[in-house]
Amino acid sequence: MKTLLTTCLAILISSISFAQKPDKVLARVKYNFVHVRDTTQKNNPYTENMLLVIGKNASAFTSLDRLERELDLPKAKRAPGSPFKPINAVDIYFFAKENKLVSRERFMNAYYLIDEPSQQINWKITKDTLSFNGVHCKKAITTFKGRNWIAWYAPELPFQSGPWKLNGLPGLIIQANDDKNEVQFLFNGIDNLKKENLSAEQLELAKEYDKSFFFSNEIALQKDAKATTRTEFDKIMDLFKKDPKGFIAAESGVPRANVLIGGSTTGVSHSTINNPIELPEKK
């Protein structure tokens, strides 16, 4: 196991380089993420607050709940004895000009930048229109990653980005869902970065947010993260899932009997995922 682990971890650090230049942040969009992970628990979907940071060319999609927990904000703290909510640990970067996706994931106390296979989304724009909190939007549909998607985008906001891996429309994607409503990204407001009208309490909170690079002035890939491919990273994840204790013992040097793996719960288990966002492609 030790030899296999050493070989696999060495493979992760590839010769891939990400040369995208930092992009100035122009706005931040909030979404309520709703996902029926377990089809036997359709009335208890997983929910999470997400954040899309957008610039002229680049965007970064991340978990707002996770950022607030990492910043140790009062609103993110849970009462003693209350359920511990799992959070999304994957960040997705999109570079419009290059049509390039890069995922940032943490594994064994290290961050990895994963080069995702690029895929042009074939959108069909319809005549339907709708407004979300005063933002005028047009409707587009597509089949992507095994699901039929409905997206509402704002032509007046000339960004090609959107939540998750949805992108490529002539306007910011404000809201999106699959046709079964098993996965939803619900619009929850836009921050135009202007702080002159904020209250003293809001300004103080803004200072806390500024400690995260997702609230900095630029969108940039983490410089000290290791670059790899999705194929190689998934090989390591498969090895870890087959024997988590053995994997950790081999990597850390801690005897297998002393390796403890704890569980977490929200009252409704979200560990069962029989309905992932990405499904087999329809033929």
Side-chain angles (χ1 to χ4, degrees):
M1 180 69 173
K2 182 68 175 179
T3 303
L4 178 60
L5 176 61
T6 302
T7 302
C8 289
L9 290 178
I11 290 174
L12 272 184
I13 308 172
S14 72
S15 59
I16 297 173
S17 64
F18 298 103
Q20 278 75 18
K21 295 180 180 179
D23 202 3
K24 181 181 178 181
V25 175
L26 299 178
R28 298 186 181 94
V29 188
K30 296 179 182 179
Y31 300 88
N32 293 325
F33 173 49
V34 182
H35 179 196
V36 179
R37 289 182 168 184
D38 182 359
T39 54
T40 67
Q41 295 281 344
K42 289 187 176 182
N43 293 327
N44 293 292
Y46 176 82
T47 62
E48 189 170 0
N49 295 307
M50 308 299 289
L51 181 71
L52 178 67
V53 185
I54 52 178
K56 185 176 181 180
N57 178 57
S59 66
F61 185 66
T62 188
S63 167
L64 183 58
D65 285 346
R66 191 185 82 233
L67 297 183
E68 291 177 342
R69 186 179 296 179
E70 290 174 349
L71 294 171
D72 200 29
L73 299 182
K75 62 187 294 186
K77 295 181 179 180
R78 62 192 179 104
S82 64
F84 187 82
K85 180 183 177 181
I87 47 179
N88 195 315
V90 180
D91 305 315
I92 300 174
Y93 292 82
F94 173 63
F95 301 92
K97 290 181 181 178
E98 301 87 349
N99 188 35
K100 188 177 185 64
L101 279 174
V102 177
S103 292
R104 172 181 176 265
E105 297 192 30
R106 184 175 182 177
F107 179 65
M108 303 299 286
N109 296 319
Y111 283 99
Y112 293 87
L113 296 177
I114 304 166
D115 187 26
E116 299 284 358
S118 59
Q119 182 174 350
Q120 194 78 35
I121 303 178
N122 184 24
W123 292 101
K124 178 182 178 181
I125 297 175
T126 74
K127 297 180 179 179
D128 299 315
T129 62
L130 197 63
S131 291
F132 297 89
N133 292 357
V135 181
H136 177 73
C137 295
K138 297 183 69 174
K139 180 181 178 181
I141 58 176
T142 191
T143 298
F144 178 65
K145 300 293 185 181
R147 293 183 183 273
N148 297 320
W149 287 94
I150 300 165
W152 296 92
Y153 72 96
E156 296 177 359
L157 301 175
F159 304 102
Q160 296 184 46
S161 303
W164 184 55
K165 298 178 181 180
L166 300 172
N167 56 65
L169 281 166
L172 175 68
I173 297 177
I174 295 295
Q175 187 155 305
N177 60 273
D178 74 329
D179 59 352
K180 296 181 180 179
N181 278 331
E182 293 178 344
V183 184
Q184 302 177 70
F185 297 98
L186 307 176
F187 178 62
N188 194 30
I190 296 178
D191 176 7
N192 62 6
L193 311 183
K194 294 181 180 179
K195 297 182 178 180
E196 58 267 23
N197 296 323
L198 296 182
S199 66
E201 182 179 357
Q202 289 172 321
L203 283 171
E204 201 61 36
L205 182 59
K207 291 179 182 178
E208 293 299 315
Y209 278 129
D210 288 343
K211 295 176 183 177
S212 167
F213 65 76
F214 285 101
F215 287 88
S216 67
N217 296 323
E218 291 183 335
I219 300 171
L221 294 171
Q222 184 176 340
K223 292 182 179 179
D224 60 349
K226 302 172 183 179
T228 188
T229 65
R230 171 53 62 190
T231 299
E232 298 302 338
F233 191 81
D234 285 348
K235 288 180 182 178
I236 299 297
M237 293 301 100
D238 289 340
L239 188 63
F240 173 76
K241 291 174 183 177
K242 288 178 181 178
D243 185 11
K245 284 193 173 183
F247 194 102
I248 294 173
E251 197 276 339
S252 64
V254 175
R256 181 188 180 95
N258 295 340
V259 175
L260 298 177
I261 300 178
S264 64
T265 177
T266 60
V268 175
S269 175
H270 293 294
S271 59
T272 299
I273 304 179
N274 59 34
N275 186 34
I277 297 181
E278 296 188 28
L279 299 174
E281 294 287 355
K282 298 176 181 179
K283 297 181 180 180

